[in-house]
Amino acid sequence: MCGIAGFINARGCADGAVLQAMLRRIAHRGPDGQGVFLDGAAALGHRRLAVIDLEGGPQPMFNEDGRLALVFNGEIYNYRALTRELTAAGHAFATRSDSEVLLHGWEQWGRGLLPRLRGMFAFALWDRQDGALFCARDAFGVKPLYYCQTAEGTLLFASEIKAFLDHPAFEKRLNTAQLELYLSCQYSPGADTFFCGVKKLLPGHWLEWRGGRLRTGRWWAPDLAPARSPGRWDGAIDAVLRDSVAAHKVADVEVAGFLSGGVDSACLTALGRPARCYTIGYAEPGYDETAEAAALARALGVEHRVRHITPEEFWAALPAVQYHMDEPLADAAAVALYFLNQEAAREYKVCLSGEGADELFAGYNIYREPFTARWYDRLPAALRRGLGALAARLPAAPGLRFLVRRARPLCRRYYGNTALMTEREKRRLLRSCRGRVQPFDLARPLWQASEGLDTVTRMQLCDLSLWLPGDILLKADKMSMAHGLELRVPFLDREVFALARRLPAAAKADARHTKKALRAAAARHLPDASARRPKRGFPVPVRDWLRRPVWASRVQEAFHSPAAARFFDVRRLDRLLARHLHRRQDNWRQIYCIYCFLVWYDQFFGGDPA
């Protein structure tokens, strides 16, 4: 695990001092060392967190004749099997590192290497003879990779956008169009970013730069194909998860874990028995899961540590969180993860975490929606549209969101499980709202591609493609690497996916339950209460804190900043906050979303002229 950065100059030789500055920006990702390589116009840099082959794995790494140079972020869990296969084919390995299989695998198979890899990765490979750069990102998007081709033609790439700030060819400009999508999704979705010209290399994609020409392509896409017969799946799920957890524990350092009150982390803890588990807690009882986590840790015989967060710590950490995220994120769980990773990183370099279980095994409560209130969906479409339009104009209240959501069929409105602001709400709040790209535009191709499948499976495909890489995995990577900690996610494994993609609808969700098959598998190892505990997400008491004047006044100060006045109708922001503070409406998610954007904006653009 580490951070990578580099560039291919459009004019002249690469400047090593520029590369050094880029790497300093992301030094938190790799506290154990730094490596650089300059080859004419090309510059490749690496910050290392040593986990496998502690002595023999520094990067950039080269093949036998020095033609290929590699920088790599991630872990290849089947590297030993690939090493044996490549050795039998005549390749000579100089290290025990998983990184080296990428070099010899590229020599042997070219792009055919990618589907052979079992792991999480973002890497860049420079061919000195051909003058070509090849980059690739893992199937699910566990590891991030950004790129930018500047006006003069220089290509930049890095694990974090902030590395680009130190390259003289990079022009920092705000992409205001992304703000509208963010206010709907609470994260920055799709390939574009908040920085003009900066793109995400999407999950399962590759990039090639050759002779000044840039092109990208896709090497993997999630293909869900549910089985027709229900059957029993708990045994197969148990077996594949055992195998994945064992693969994800391969390291030359001790592996710890995270433990909440939910079934995902509990299952991994039971199967992996990490050296120690960590849990985040709060003083507010309705949000605290530490008692459940502690009871489970005792039952499993695993050492357990708890880190309680105060509201003072939470609000004070927000600028650092938004800086490390690179783009604004209004998922309050990111702050909890920031402290959770900070605590674990005091003594460990690697932790197991449960991301991906909800998307693969249908764990979100919204997946129950197709089975609830079916009578309402049988009402005439015109009536439902009319009631939804009326509800959208009324102040937020219990039940109105239901009417807005059910005004249209799921296949015409669902783009993720955190739909936040409607187009009408955004038009009221923003000084300029063009609506050129709406959030469902990103989901429409996914619904078209899944035609004929059951509704829950189609929702899963949306979340696998948008929400998982855009929010869940991005905050997991950025919050762990902010403290130099490697997070491993055994649910997001190619073998686990190969099984999960075949789960029938009956094994996923119904009107009362989610993750039905996974819970049955987990019940083999967990107390019944842990296996059946309902989905709670990662609860954070922001709703309650924003009803205390001390924290509401902090937000109000941001709402009266020059940045707020540039983008928003300040009077409406005041009204939004006042109604929440005085318990007339529950507006905490909208308030927090706007506030996070303003905090992020101050981190990256605060010193710039308006």
Side-chain angles (χ1 to χ4, degrees), residues 115-147:
R116 295 171 179 263
L117 299 175
R118 182 182 188 182
M120 53 182 184
F121 57 85
F123 67 82
L125 196 152
W126 172 248
D127 187 322
R128 303 179 67 187
Q129 180 174 305
D130 288 351
L133 182 79
F134 181 83
C135 302
R137 191 176 177 200
D138 67 69
F140 299 104
V142 182
K143 295 287 94 188
L145 189 64
Y146 301 93
Y147 67 96

mmCIF file of all heavy atoms in Angstrom, residues 115-147:
data_model
loop_
_atom_site.group_PDB
_atom_site.id
_atom_site.type_symbol
_atom_site.label_atom_id
_atom_site.label_comp_id
_atom_site.label_asym_id
_atom_site.label_seq_id
_atom_site.Cartn_x
_atom_site.Cartn_y
_atom_site.Cartn_z
ATOM 1 N N PRO A 115 -7.234 -9.310 -15.757
ATOM 2 C CA PRO A 115 -8.232 -10.221 -15.188
ATOM 3 C C PRO A 115 -7.632 -11.371 -14.391
ATOM 4 O O PRO A 115 -8.365 -12.078 -13.699
ATOM 5 C CB PRO A 115 -8.983 -10.740 -16.429
ATOM 6 C CG PRO A 115 -8.081 -10.488 -17.569
ATOM 7 C CD PRO A 115 -7.288 -9.283 -17.230
ATOM 8 N N ARG A 116 -6.314 -11.555 -14.442
ATOM 9 C CA ARG A 116 -5.667 -12.607 -13.655
ATOM 10 C C ARG A 116 -5.382 -12.156 -12.227
ATOM 11 O O ARG A 116 -5.057 -12.981 -11.375
ATOM 12 C CB ARG A 116 -4.347 -13.028 -14.311
ATOM 13 C CG ARG A 116 -4.498 -13.685 -15.672
ATOM 14 C CD ARG A 116 -3.134 -13.869 -16.321
ATOM 15 N NE ARG A 116 -3.237 -14.520 -17.630
ATOM 16 C CZ ARG A 116 -3.066 -15.824 -17.839
ATOM 17 N NH1 ARG A 116 -2.759 -16.613 -16.830
ATOM 18 N NH2 ARG A 116 -3.183 -16.329 -19.041
ATOM 19 N N LEU A 117 -5.474 -10.850 -11.973
ATOM 20 C CA LEU A 117 -5.080 -10.312 -10.675
ATOM 21 C C LEU A 117 -6.215 -10.425 -9.662
ATOM 22 O O LEU A 117 -7.344 -10.032 -9.928
ATOM 23 C CB LEU A 117 -4.673 -8.849 -10.818
ATOM 24 C CG LEU A 117 -3.486 -8.564 -11.750
ATOM 25 C CD1 LEU A 117 -3.286 -7.058 -11.896
ATOM 26 C CD2 LEU A 117 -2.217 -9.238 -11.240
ATOM 27 N N ARG A 118 -5.878 -10.942 -8.506
ATOM 28 C CA ARG A 118 -6.818 -10.986 -7.379
ATOM 29 C C ARG A 118 -6.303 -9.979 -6.346
ATOM 30 O O ARG A 118 -5.341 -10.257 -5.629
ATOM 31 C CB ARG A 118 -6.871 -12.388 -6.777
ATOM 32 C CG ARG A 118 -7.858 -12.533 -5.621
ATOM 33 C CD ARG A 118 -7.822 -13.938 -5.038
ATOM 34 N NE ARG A 118 -8.886 -14.130 -4.071
ATOM 35 C CZ ARG A 118 -9.074 -15.261 -3.373
ATOM 36 N NH1 ARG A 118 -8.244 -16.290 -3.565
ATOM 37 N NH2 ARG A 118 -10.059 -15.355 -2.511
ATOM 38 N N GLY A 119 -6.910 -8.822 -6.318
ATOM 39 C CA GLY A 119 -6.400 -7.823 -5.391
ATOM 40 C C GLY A 119 -6.989 -6.453 -5.625
ATOM 41 O O GLY A 119 -7.968 -6.279 -6.360
ATOM 42 N N MET A 120 -6.373 -5.470 -4.991
ATOM 43 C CA MET A 120 -6.754 -4.062 -5.154
ATOM 44 C C MET A 120 -5.524 -3.350 -5.688
ATOM 45 O O MET A 120 -4.416 -3.555 -5.208
ATOM 46 C CB MET A 120 -7.201 -3.470 -3.816
ATOM 47 C CG MET A 120 -6.201 -3.645 -2.681
ATOM 48 S SD MET A 120 -6.845 -2.970 -1.130
ATOM 49 C CE MET A 120 -5.425 -3.201 -0.060
ATOM 50 N N PHE A 121 -5.717 -2.517 -6.699
ATOM 51 C CA PHE A 121 -4.534 -1.924 -7.298
ATOM 52 C C PHE A 121 -4.853 -0.691 -8.121
ATOM 53 O O PHE A 121 -5.942 -0.519 -8.665
ATOM 54 C CB PHE A 121 -3.807 -2.936 -8.196
ATOM 55 C CG PHE A 121 -4.644 -3.532 -9.292
ATOM 56 C CD1 PHE A 121 -4.806 -2.878 -10.507
ATOM 57 C CD2 PHE A 121 -5.271 -4.760 -9.116
ATOM 58 C CE1 PHE A 121 -5.580 -3.428 -11.521
ATOM 59 C CE2 PHE A 121 -6.049 -5.312 -10.128
ATOM 60 C CZ PHE A 121 -6.199 -4.652 -11.329
ATOM 61 N N ALA A 122 -3.858 0.186 -8.176
ATOM 62 C CA ALA A 122 -3.764 1.259 -9.156
ATOM 63 C C ALA A 122 -2.275 1.350 -9.458
ATOM 64 O O ALA A 122 -1.469 1.546 -8.544
ATOM 65 C CB ALA A 122 -4.292 2.570 -8.604
ATOM 66 N N PHE A 123 -1.902 1.166 -10.720
ATOM 67 C CA PHE A 123 -0.474 1.178 -11.033
ATOM 68 C C PHE A 123 -0.214 1.909 -12.341
ATOM 69 O O PHE A 123 -1.106 2.089 -13.173
ATOM 70 C CB PHE A 123 0.105 -0.249 -11.084
ATOM 71 C CG PHE A 123 -0.376 -1.119 -12.201
ATOM 72 C CD1 PHE A 123 0.187 -1.041 -13.482
ATOM 73 C CD2 PHE A 123 -1.379 -2.065 -11.990
ATOM 74 C CE1 PHE A 123 -0.244 -1.860 -14.510
ATOM 75 C CE2 PHE A 123 -1.816 -2.890 -13.017
ATOM 76 C CZ PHE A 123 -1.243 -2.784 -14.283
ATOM 77 N N ALA A 124 1.039 2.331 -12.488
ATOM 78 C CA ALA A 124 1.512 2.983 -13.712
ATOM 79 C C ALA A 124 2.786 2.282 -14.149
ATOM 80 O O ALA A 124 3.698 2.068 -13.339
ATOM 81 C CB ALA A 124 1.775 4.463 -13.473
ATOM 82 N N LEU A 125 2.845 1.935 -15.425
ATOM 83 C CA LEU A 125 3.980 1.190 -15.970
ATOM 84 C C LEU A 125 4.513 1.941 -17.187
ATOM 85 O O LEU A 125 3.788 2.183 -18.150
ATOM 86 C CB LEU A 125 3.513 -0.223 -16.348
ATOM 87 C CG LEU A 125 4.576 -1.280 -16.593
ATOM 88 C CD1 LEU A 125 4.011 -2.658 -16.263
ATOM 89 C CD2 LEU A 125 5.078 -1.257 -18.018
ATOM 90 N N TRP A 126 5.787 2.325 -17.122
ATOM 91 C CA TRP A 126 6.423 3.094 -18.180
ATOM 92 C C TRP A 126 7.314 2.184 -19.003
ATOM 93 O O TRP A 126 8.186 1.498 -18.473
ATOM 94 C CB TRP A 126 7.243 4.232 -17.576
ATOM 95 C CG TRP A 126 8.106 5.010 -18.528
ATOM 96 C CD1 TRP A 126 9.468 5.042 -18.573
ATOM 97 C CD2 TRP A 126 7.660 5.887 -19.580
ATOM 98 N NE1 TRP A 126 9.909 5.880 -19.570
ATOM 99 C CE2 TRP A 126 8.817 6.418 -20.201
ATOM 100 C CE3 TRP A 126 6.402 6.274 -20.034
ATOM 101 C CZ2 TRP A 126 8.750 7.320 -21.271
ATOM 102 C CZ3 TRP A 126 6.344 7.172 -21.103
ATOM 103 C CH2 TRP A 126 7.490 7.678 -21.708
ATOM 104 N N ASP A 127 7.084 2.142 -20.316
ATOM 105 C CA ASP A 127 7.905 1.368 -21.254
ATOM 106 C C ASP A 127 8.933 2.328 -21.846
ATOM 107 O O ASP A 127 8.600 3.175 -22.676
ATOM 108 C CB ASP A 127 7.020 0.764 -22.342
ATOM 109 C CG ASP A 127 7.785 -0.197 -23.245
ATOM 110 O OD1 ASP A 127 8.974 0.085 -23.556
ATOM 111 O OD2 ASP A 127 7.200 -1.215 -23.653
ATOM 112 N N ARG A 128 10.181 2.179 -21.427
ATOM 113 C CA ARG A 128 11.233 3.118 -21.838
ATOM 114 C C ARG A 128 11.541 3.000 -23.332
ATOM 115 O O ARG A 128 11.913 3.981 -23.969
ATOM 116 C CB ARG A 128 12.507 2.851 -21.029
ATOM 117 C CG ARG A 128 12.301 2.944 -19.526
ATOM 118 C CD ARG A 128 13.579 2.656 -18.773
ATOM 119 N NE ARG A 128 14.582 3.686 -18.990
ATOM 120 C CZ ARG A 128 15.835 3.595 -18.543
ATOM 121 N NH1 ARG A 128 16.230 2.514 -17.871
ATOM 122 N NH2 ARG A 128 16.691 4.578 -18.775
ATOM 123 N N GLN A 129 11.374 1.822 -23.876
ATOM 124 C CA GLN A 129 11.692 1.624 -25.293
ATOM 125 C C GLN A 129 10.620 2.220 -26.192
ATOM 126 O O GLN A 129 10.928 2.904 -27.178
ATOM 127 C CB GLN A 129 11.847 0.132 -25.592
ATOM 128 C CG GLN A 129 12.184 -0.178 -27.041
ATOM 129 C CD GLN A 129 12.476 -1.661 -27.244
ATOM 130 O OE1 GLN A 129 13.334 -2.235 -26.566
ATOM 131 N NE2 GLN A 129 11.748 -2.297 -28.162
ATOM 132 N N ASP A 130 9.365 1.987 -25.858
ATOM 133 C CA ASP A 130 8.267 2.491 -26.684
ATOM 134 C C ASP A 130 7.858 3.916 -26.319
ATOM 135 O O ASP A 130 7.074 4.545 -27.055
ATOM 136 C CB ASP A 130 7.041 1.585 -26.549
ATOM 137 C CG ASP A 130 7.234 0.247 -27.244
ATOM 138 O OD1 ASP A 130 8.243 0.094 -27.964
ATOM 139 O OD2 ASP A 130 6.376 -0.642 -27.053
ATOM 140 N N GLY A 131 8.333 4.427 -25.176
ATOM 141 C CA GLY A 131 7.893 5.747 -24.731
ATOM 142 C C GLY A 131 6.408 5.783 -24.460
ATOM 143 O O GLY A 131 5.709 6.738 -24.838
ATOM 144 N N ALA A 132 5.899 4.729 -23.788
ATOM 145 C CA ALA A 132 4.458 4.606 -23.543
ATOM 146 C C ALA A 132 4.199 4.380 -22.061
ATOM 147 O O ALA A 132 4.965 3.689 -21.378
ATOM 148 C CB ALA A 132 3.876 3.455 -24.356
ATOM 149 N N LEU A 133 3.105 4.952 -21.583
ATOM 150 C CA LEU A 133 2.680 4.771 -20.204
ATOM 151 C C LEU A 133 1.369 4.002 -20.193
ATOM 152 O O LEU A 133 0.447 4.319 -20.942
ATOM 153 C CB LEU A 133 2.475 6.129 -19.521
ATOM 154 C CG LEU A 133 2.061 6.054 -18.048
ATOM 155 C CD1 LEU A 133 3.272 5.756 -17.170
ATOM 156 C CD2 LEU A 133 1.402 7.363 -17.599
ATOM 157 N N PHE A 134 1.295 3.001 -19.318
ATOM 158 C CA PHE A 134 0.062 2.233 -19.148
ATOM 159 C C PHE A 134 -0.321 2.274 -17.674
ATOM 160 O O PHE A 134 0.509 2.009 -16.791
ATOM 161 C CB PHE A 134 0.245 0.783 -19.582
ATOM 162 C CG PHE A 134 -1.004 -0.043 -19.455
ATOM 163 C CD1 PHE A 134 -1.968 -0.029 -20.443
ATOM 164 C CD2 PHE A 134 -1.222 -0.830 -18.326
ATOM 165 C CE1 PHE A 134 -3.134 -0.776 -20.319
ATOM 166 C CE2 PHE A 134 -2.383 -1.583 -18.197
ATOM 167 C CZ PHE A 134 -3.336 -1.559 -19.201
ATOM 168 N N CYS A 135 -1.578 2.622 -17.401
ATOM 169 C CA CYS A 135 -2.104 2.653 -16.037
ATOM 170 C C CYS A 135 -3.367 1.788 -15.972
ATOM 171 O O CYS A 135 -4.087 1.646 -16.964
ATOM 172 C CB CYS A 135 -2.458 4.080 -15.608
ATOM 173 S SG CYS A 135 -1.099 5.258 -15.666
ATOM 174 N N ALA A 136 -3.641 1.256 -14.793
ATOM 175 C CA ALA A 136 -4.853 0.453 -14.621
ATOM 176 C C ALA A 136 -5.341 0.556 -13.191
ATOM 177 O O ALA A 136 -4.557 0.806 -12.265
ATOM 178 C CB ALA A 136 -4.598 -1.001 -14.993
ATOM 179 N N ARG A 137 -6.652 0.345 -13.029
ATOM 180 C CA ARG A 137 -7.304 0.402 -11.716
ATOM 181 C C ARG A 137 -8.104 -0.873 -11.495
ATOM 182 O O ARG A 137 -8.670 -1.433 -12.444
ATOM 183 C CB ARG A 137 -8.208 1.619 -11.645
ATOM 184 C CG ARG A 137 -8.723 1.924 -10.248
ATOM 185 C CD ARG A 137 -9.529 3.195 -10.223
ATOM 186 N NE ARG A 137 -10.081 3.446 -8.893
ATOM 187 C CZ ARG A 137 -11.103 4.238 -8.640
ATOM 188 N NH1 ARG A 137 -11.686 4.889 -9.644
ATOM 189 N NH2 ARG A 137 -11.547 4.398 -7.416
ATOM 190 N N ASP A 138 -8.160 -1.329 -10.258
ATOM 191 C CA ASP A 138 -8.818 -2.599 -9.952
ATOM 192 C C ASP A 138 -10.308 -2.579 -10.262
ATOM 193 O O ASP A 138 -10.914 -1.531 -10.485
ATOM 194 C CB ASP A 138 -8.565 -3.003 -8.493
ATOM 195 C CG ASP A 138 -9.217 -2.070 -7.493
ATOM 196 O OD1 ASP A 138 -10.459 -2.053 -7.407
ATOM 197 O OD2 ASP A 138 -8.487 -1.350 -6.785
ATOM 198 N N ALA A 139 -10.896 -3.763 -10.264
ATOM 199 C CA ALA A 139 -12.267 -3.952 -10.737
ATOM 200 C C ALA A 139 -13.286 -3.122 -9.969
ATOM 201 O O ALA A 139 -14.193 -2.522 -10.562
ATOM 202 C CB ALA A 139 -12.632 -5.437 -10.654
ATOM 203 N N PHE A 140 -13.179 -3.079 -8.642
ATOM 204 C CA PHE A 140 -14.198 -2.401 -7.833
ATOM 205 C C PHE A 140 -13.853 -0.948 -7.541
ATOM 206 O O PHE A 140 -14.702 -0.195 -7.074
ATOM 207 C CB PHE A 140 -14.392 -3.145 -6.509
ATOM 208 C CG PHE A 140 -14.869 -4.560 -6.684
ATOM 209 C CD1 PHE A 140 -14.003 -5.624 -6.514
ATOM 210 C CD2 PHE A 140 -16.175 -4.832 -7.052
ATOM 211 C CE1 PHE A 140 -14.426 -6.933 -6.679
ATOM 212 C CE2 PHE A 140 -16.618 -6.138 -7.227
ATOM 213 C CZ PHE A 140 -15.743 -7.194 -7.037
ATOM 214 N N GLY A 141 -12.600 -0.548 -7.785
ATOM 215 C CA GLY A 141 -12.188 0.815 -7.473
ATOM 216 C C GLY A 141 -11.765 0.997 -6.030
ATOM 217 O O GLY A 141 -11.974 2.059 -5.453
ATOM 218 N N VAL A 142 -11.164 -0.046 -5.452
ATOM 219 C CA VAL A 142 -10.693 0.053 -4.069
ATOM 220 C C VAL A 142 -9.591 1.113 -3.964
ATOM 221 O O VAL A 142 -9.543 1.882 -3.019
ATOM 222 C CB VAL A 142 -10.180 -1.307 -3.557
ATOM 223 C CG1 VAL A 142 -9.745 -1.198 -2.100
ATOM 224 C CG2 VAL A 142 -11.250 -2.382 -3.716
ATOM 225 N N LYS A 143 -8.706 1.125 -4.955
ATOM 226 C CA LYS A 143 -7.589 2.081 -4.977
ATOM 227 C C LYS A 143 -7.868 3.183 -6.001
ATOM 228 O O LYS A 143 -8.243 2.896 -7.146
ATOM 229 C CB LYS A 143 -6.286 1.371 -5.323
ATOM 230 C CG LYS A 143 -5.829 0.353 -4.297
ATOM 231 C CD LYS A 143 -5.300 1.032 -3.028
ATOM 232 C CE LYS A 143 -6.355 1.165 -1.972
ATOM 233 N NZ LYS A 143 -5.940 1.981 -0.827
ATOM 234 N N PRO A 144 -7.692 4.442 -5.621
ATOM 235 C CA PRO A 144 -7.995 5.549 -6.539
ATOM 236 C C PRO A 144 -6.838 5.861 -7.483
ATOM 237 O O PRO A 144 -5.673 5.596 -7.176
ATOM 238 C CB PRO A 144 -8.227 6.721 -5.587
ATOM 239 C CG PRO A 144 -7.348 6.418 -4.414
ATOM 240 C CD PRO A 144 -7.316 4.912 -4.286
ATOM 241 N N LEU A 145 -7.178 6.434 -8.635
ATOM 242 C CA LEU A 145 -6.158 6.956 -9.548
ATOM 243 C C LEU A 145 -6.791 8.100 -10.342
ATOM 244 O O LEU A 145 -7.865 7.951 -10.922
ATOM 245 C CB LEU A 145 -5.653 5.883 -10.504
ATOM 246 C CG LEU A 145 -4.426 6.288 -11.337
ATOM 247 C CD1 LEU A 145 -3.219 6.544 -10.443
ATOM 248 C CD2 LEU A 145 -4.086 5.229 -12.375
ATOM 249 N N TYR A 146 -6.104 9.249 -10.351
ATOM 250 C CA TYR A 146 -6.568 10.433 -11.056
ATOM 251 C C TYR A 146 -5.577 10.767 -12.169
ATOM 252 O O TYR A 146 -4.383 10.459 -12.071
ATOM 253 C CB TYR A 146 -6.658 11.623 -10.099
ATOM 254 C CG TYR A 146 -7.576 11.407 -8.931
ATOM 255 C CD1 TYR A 146 -7.083 10.928 -7.714
ATOM 256 C CD2 TYR A 146 -8.931 11.693 -9.011
ATOM 257 C CE1 TYR A 146 -7.911 10.730 -6.625
ATOM 258 C CE2 TYR A 146 -9.776 11.503 -7.928
ATOM 259 C CZ TYR A 146 -9.255 11.020 -6.732
ATOM 260 O OH TYR A 146 -10.090 10.835 -5.657
ATOM 261 N N TYR A 147 -6.077 11.431 -13.207
ATOM 262 C CA TYR A 147 -5.186 11.867 -14.278
ATOM 263 C C TYR A 147 -5.686 13.183 -14.860
ATOM 264 O O TYR A 147 -6.857 13.551 -14.711
ATOM 265 C CB TYR A 147 -5.055 10.795 -15.363
ATOM 266 C CG TYR A 147 -6.320 10.522 -16.152
ATOM 267 C CD1 TYR A 147 -6.557 11.139 -17.376
ATOM 268 C CD2 TYR A 147 -7.278 9.626 -15.675
ATOM 269 C CE1 TYR A 147 -7.709 10.880 -18.104
ATOM 270 C CE2 TYR A 147 -8.433 9.351 -16.392
ATOM 271 C CZ TYR A 147 -8.644 9.996 -17.607
ATOM 272 O OH TYR A 147 -9.790 9.727 -18.333
#
